[in-house]
């Protein structure tokens, strides 16, 4: 036995890596221009805008809080899976996410008070590069500082994009169930509700958490071969069942319309907003992905605008990477991506976890490996 387990399906592994690495690449490309207007981007990088990594946070290929929180979402869903498998119960994703996000908060507070025991209990907390503030959203910080790991929903009215930009790993987790579930409608409802609830840990406005439900569903469906238009149709059908959905639905449908009538236009992208709020970031990611000729084309469009470039780049990268696989991502971007090996390892775990052997006496080594990597409880 070799640990960690590697997904046996090479196509599945490629799509899972593509989704997680694609989001990180979009995040890293957008990081240097996150707070610049388009005119400033053009002056700095030329008429075509930023097309390759530029220095951010003292390095090339630096990820931001978007990818940091995405990794801790992945930790949460895999921790919940482990706990459920070992205790023969349903996964409690909400509780696991509240705890994992509190660990992310430790990295942002650069807490050196973390005990060695705690560090061993979380593989991500052993990644020293995560102990770095990368312009974290004030809503995420304040909500998590108020809850400190307690299992509770945010009491704010924020619809910032911090809930949607981190949710792709949840869709990755449920993709396995999508491929074998006969009652897909019920499963889609569950995926949506879980994505909504995980975003609601920090964002209390309906558009802030409903957008996350949409993206979780779309990612799941695309990973098993669904097209983006078809996945959006399914996600919108579910979205319409939820109160206060009109703002999110209108943003998605505007993106779809513009992608048909005016694809790959910066001026059309600008009409969708700036991406600092959830429904705008989701819509801009959808627009960029729908019209893209290829992965590179879509990401470059997604980050060259006057707004939250890293978040729109991240969402676009999740979508395009899930559809086309890791081979579609330019190697020049992967080569310098911060924490690439960690992101790849977590993508592989999300692709391979159904094959983990955890419960028998002979599985002790594998059980110990994964429960150390993804803390239970």
């Amino acid at each position: 036995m070799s640990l960690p387990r590697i997904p046996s399906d090479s196509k599945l592994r490629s799509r899972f890596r593509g989704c997680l690495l694609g989001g990180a690449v979009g995040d890293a490309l957008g990081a240097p221009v996150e707070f610049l207007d388009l005119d400033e981007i053009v002056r700095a990088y030329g008429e075509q805008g930023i097309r390759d990594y530029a220095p951010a946070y003292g390095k090339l290929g630096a990820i931001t809080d978007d990818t940091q929180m995405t990794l801790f979402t992945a930790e949460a869903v895999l921790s919940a899976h482990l706990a459920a498998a070992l205790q023969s119960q349903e996964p409690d994703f909400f509780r696991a996410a509240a705890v994992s996000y509190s660990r992310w908060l430790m990295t942002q507070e650069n807490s050196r008070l973390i005990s060695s025991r705690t560090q061993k209990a979380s593989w991500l907390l052993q990644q020293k590069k995560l102990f770095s503030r990368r312009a974290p959203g004030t809503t995420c910080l304040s909500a998590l500082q108020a809850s400190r790991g307690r299992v509770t929903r945010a009491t704010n009215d924020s619809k910032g994009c911090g809930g949607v930009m981190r949710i792709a790993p949840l869709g990755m987790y449920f993709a396995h169930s999508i491929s074998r579930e006969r009652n897909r409608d019920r499963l889609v409802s569950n995926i949506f509700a879980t994505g909504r609830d995980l975003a609601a840990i920090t964002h209390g406005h309906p558009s802030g958490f409903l957008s996350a439900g949409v993206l979780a569903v779309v990612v799941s469906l695309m990973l098993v071969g669904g097209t983006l238009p078809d996945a959006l149709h399914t996600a919108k059908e579910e979205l319409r069942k939820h109160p206060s959905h009109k703002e999110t639905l209108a943003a998605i449908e505007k993106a779809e319309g513009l992608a048909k009538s005016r694809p790959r236009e910066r001026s059309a992208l600008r009409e969708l907003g700036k991406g600092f709020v959830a429904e705008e970031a989701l819509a801009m990611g959808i627009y960029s992905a729908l019209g893209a000729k290829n992965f590179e084309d879509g990401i470059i469009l997604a980050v060259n605008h006057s707004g939250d470039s890293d978040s729109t780049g991240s969402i676009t990268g999740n979508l395009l990477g899930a559809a086309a696989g890791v081979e579609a991502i330019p190697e020049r971007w992967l080569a310098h991506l911060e924490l690439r090996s960690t992101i790849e390892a977590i993508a592989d775990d999300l692709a391979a976890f159904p094959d983990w052997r955890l419960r028998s006496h002979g599985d002790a080594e594998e059980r110990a490996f994964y429960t150390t990597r993804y803390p239970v409880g």
Side-chain angles (χ1 to χ4, degrees):
M1 179 179 61
S2 177
L3 294 173
R5 287 191 179 273
I6 301 300
S8 57
D9 184 334
S10 60
K11 187 174 182 179
L12 183 75
R13 186 185 195 190
S14 174
R15 287 191 169 191
F16 272 63
R17 283 192 169 197
C19 184
L20 210 58
L21 286 167
V25 162
D27 179 26
L29 188 66
V33 297
E34 179 181 4
F35 301 109
L36 300 182
D37 290 334
L38 181 58
D39 289 345
E40 294 175 304
I41 296 173
V42 169
R43 284 198 297 271
Y45 300 101
E47 187 60 38
Q48 292 185 320
I50 189 168
R51 300 177 63 86
D52 285 300
Y53 293 151
Y57 306 104
K59 63 187 72 181
L60 291 177
I63 61 169
T64 78
D65 62 309
D66 295 47
T67 300
Q68 290 176 341
M69 293 201 77
T70 298
L71 295 177
F72 279 94
T73 300
E75 178 192 83
V77 297
L78 290 170
S79 294
H81 169 77
L82 280 166
L86 296 174
Q87 299 165 17
S88 299
Q89 61 187 33
E90 290 298 309
D92 189 342
F93 298 109
F94 191 82
R95 178 178 296 277
V99 175
S100 282
Y101 293 153
S102 72
R103 281 194 280 268
W104 170 77
L105 181 63
M106 293 179 189
T107 70
Q108 300 307 287
E109 295 174 337
N110 207 22
S111 175
R112 296 307 177 187
L113 301 177
I114 303 171
S115 69
S116 59
R117 181 180 177 185
T118 301
Q119 288 199 35
K120 289 179 181 178
S122 172
W123 186 55
L124 283 181
L125 286 186
Q126 297 175 44
Q127 312 306 311
K128 294 181 180 179
K129 290 182 179 179
L130 286 172
F131 284 78
S132 179
R133 286 178 76 111
R134 302 292 173 82
T138 54
T139 296
C140 289
L141 289 175
S142 60
L144 295 173
Q145 286 166 344
S147 64
R148 290 289 172 185
R150 289 182 291 109
V151 185
T152 183
R153 285 170 168 74
T155 57
N156 59 46
D157 193 39
S158 174
K159 61 172 182 173
C161 69
V164 65
M165 57 75 168
R166 67 184 188 233
I167 209 67
L170 182 72
M172 297 169 74
Y173 176 89
F174 276 108
H176 301 280
S177 300
I178 282 280
S179 64
R180 61 176 183 265
E181 177 62 48
R182 292 183 179 179
N183 188 345
R184 184 170 287 198
D185 289 346
R186 183 174 61 187
L187 180 57
V188 165
S189 295
N190 187 25
I191 298 169
F192 189 102
T194 308
R196 174 201 66 196
D197 290 349
L198 265 57
I201 292 173
T202 53
H203 290 74
H205 190 286
S207 297
F209 53 72
L210 293 177
S211 296
V214 170
L215 185 59
V217 169
V218 170
V219 166
S220 284
L221 293 171
M222 292 182 71
L223 283 169
V224 296
T227 66
L228 179 51
D230 286 347
L232 285 169
H233 175 78
T234 300
K236 288 189 299 179
E237 287 296 300
E238 179 60 32
L239 173 63
R240 290 186 178 96
K241 301 175 185 177
H242 296 259
S244 305
H245 69 268
K246 290 184 179 180
E247 185 173 55
T248 302
L249 179 63
I252 295 169
E253 292 186 332
K254 185 174 183 179
E256 292 175 307
L258 286 171
K260 289 181 179 179
S261 62
R262 295 163 55 196
R264 303 176 59 246
E265 287 186 13
R266 287 180 184 171
S267 59
L269 187 67
R270 183 166 60 244
E271 290 182 25
L272 295 171
K274 293 189 173 183
F276 291 111
V277 294
E279 78 280 4
E280 289 182 4
L282 176 63
M284 294 168 79
I286 289 168
Y287 172 82
S288 300
L290 279 172
K293 294 189 297 184
N294 52 45
F295 184 92
E296 181 173 353
D297 178 69
I299 296 298
I300 288 173
L301 174 65
V303 302
N304 282 288
H305 63 88
S306 303
D308 198 348
S309 296
D310 60 325
S311 296
T312 54
S314 180
I315 292 170
T316 305
N318 291 146
L319 296 174
L320 292 175
V326 70
E327 294 81 8
I329 305 175
E331 181 56 35
R332 73 181 192 278
W333 288 347
L334 289 173
H336 298 288
L337 179 64
E338 186 179 26
L339 285 172
R340 175 184 178 178
S341 61
T342 301
I343 297 167
E344 287 175 338
I346 291 177
D348 284 353
D349 286 347
L350 284 163
F353 77 83
D355 297 327
W356 292 353
R357 299 177 60 181
L358 304 167
R359 299 186 63 181
S360 74
H361 178 73
D363 300 331
E365 181 183 354
E366 187 160 353
R367 183 166 58 249
F369 177 89
Y370 284 114
T371 53
T372 298
R373 196 158 173 147
Y374 302 109
V376 174

